[in-house]
């Protein structure tokens, strides 16, 4: 029996396990950071701002225009830049390419998670178009609701005079 060979194999296993644990922890921390960023108020404001800027160019037709592709590219770039900046503040020297590689390397593990679904939706033109149209619909509904409140019926003149403190009778 060669005990020195067993000892070497054991050391390699321990070093490999420590490295795997470190990689797992780092990956979990990055995914946690991504979750926080995607739910962050500043991120949501950015996304709403982009939707607001781009929504006038979209309508609910099957036809896509060249400008839609340009806007989609701007949208994707703005979100990636924001995410990369926020992640790199927490993890020095990390890039979106590194994050993408990590996620792809653990695709099975990440499948069906909110983080992966959201990140993947940012690269899907049809999802982008649905988001813009949904935003546009919500804005219309909000305008209708706000208008209905602001345009409340005015009471008849006689009622108004009776309720108006300046017209009270002595």
């Amino acid at each position: 029996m060669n005990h020195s060979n067993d000892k070497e194999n054991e050391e390699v296993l321990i070093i490999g396990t420590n490295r795997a644990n470190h990689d797992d922890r780092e990956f979990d921390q990055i995914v946690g950071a991504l979750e926080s960023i995607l739910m962050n108020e500043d991120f949501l404001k950015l996304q709403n701002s982009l939707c607001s800027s781009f929504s006038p160019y979209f309508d609910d037709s099957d036809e896509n225009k060249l400008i839609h592709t340009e806007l989609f590219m701007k949208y994707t770039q703005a979100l990636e830049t924001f995410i990369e900046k926020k992640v790199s503040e927490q993890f020095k020297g990390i890039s979106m390419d590194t994050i993408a590689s990590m996620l792809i390397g653990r695709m099975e593990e990440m499948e069906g998670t909110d983080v992966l679904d959201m990140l993947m939706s940012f690269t899907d033109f049809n999802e982008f178009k649905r988001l813009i149209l949904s935003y546009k619909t919500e804005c219309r509904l909000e305008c209708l609701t706000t208008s209905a409140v602001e345009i409340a019926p005015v009471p008849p003149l006689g009622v108004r005079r009776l309720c108006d403190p300046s017209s009270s009778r002595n």
Side-chain angles (χ1 to χ4, degrees):
M1 212 182 239
N2 187 348
H3 291 288
S4 66
N5 205 10
D6 289 342
K7 183 104 172 144
E8 287 173 20
N9 288 338
E10 187 177 309
E11 287 176 15
V12 170
L13 180 62
I14 291 171
I15 291 170
T17 303
N18 287 339
R19 180 71 186 155
N21 287 338
H22 172 74
D23 290 348
D24 288 343
R25 276 193 306 275
E26 182 181 46
F27 179 77
D28 290 344
Q29 289 172 344
I30 291 170
V31 169
L34 287 171
E35 286 174 343
S36 295
I37 292 165
L38 296 174
M39 298 301 148
N40 180 291
E41 187 176 330
D42 292 336
F43 179 80
L44 298 174
K45 283 180 184 177
L46 170 64
Q47 199 173 29
N48 279 335
S49 172
L50 293 168
C51 288
S52 176
S53 297
F54 299 161
S55 65
Y57 300 98
F58 286 82
D59 55 38
D60 198 7
S61 71
D62 289 337
E63 181 184 346
N64 293 316
K65 301 171 185 151
L66 182 58
I67 192 162
H68 294 167
T69 304
E70 293 170 16
L71 295 173
F72 174 63
M73 290 168 55
K74 287 180 181 181
Y75 172 81
T76 302
Q77 183 62 46
L79 296 183
E80 282 183 7
T81 300
F82 182 90
I83 293 168
E84 185 171 39
K85 178 180 180 262
K86 292 295 184 182
V87 171
S88 67
E89 287 172 3
Q90 295 179 35
F91 303 92
K92 302 297 179 212
I94 198 162
S95 68
M96 282 305 287
D97 290 338
T98 304
I99 293 168
S101 295
M102 291 175 87
L103 293 172
I104 289 169
R106 296 176 181 236
M107 192 61 78
E108 273 185 34
E109 189 178 327
M110 291 298 298
E111 200 167 323
T113 63
D114 291 340
V115 170
L116 184 64
D117 291 346
M118 283 187 77
L119 291 173
M120 295 302 287
S121 74
F122 301 150
T123 62
D124 182 336
F125 176 80
N126 291 324
E127 188 63 34
F128 165 71
K129 186 175 180 180
R130 276 192 289 276
L131 175 70
I132 297 290
L133 293 174
S134 173
Y135 177 86
K136 198 171 184 172
T137 300
E138 283 181 35
C139 286
R140 275 193 221 121
L141 290 174
E142 190 174 308
C143 284
L144 289 174
T145 304
T146 304
S147 296
V149 170
E150 291 174 3
I151 306 175
V154 177
L157 281 176
V159 173
R160 175 170 262 180
R161 284 190 185 132
L162 292 174
C163 297
D164 187 352
S166 64
S167 67
S168 61
R169 298 178 191 189
N170 293 336

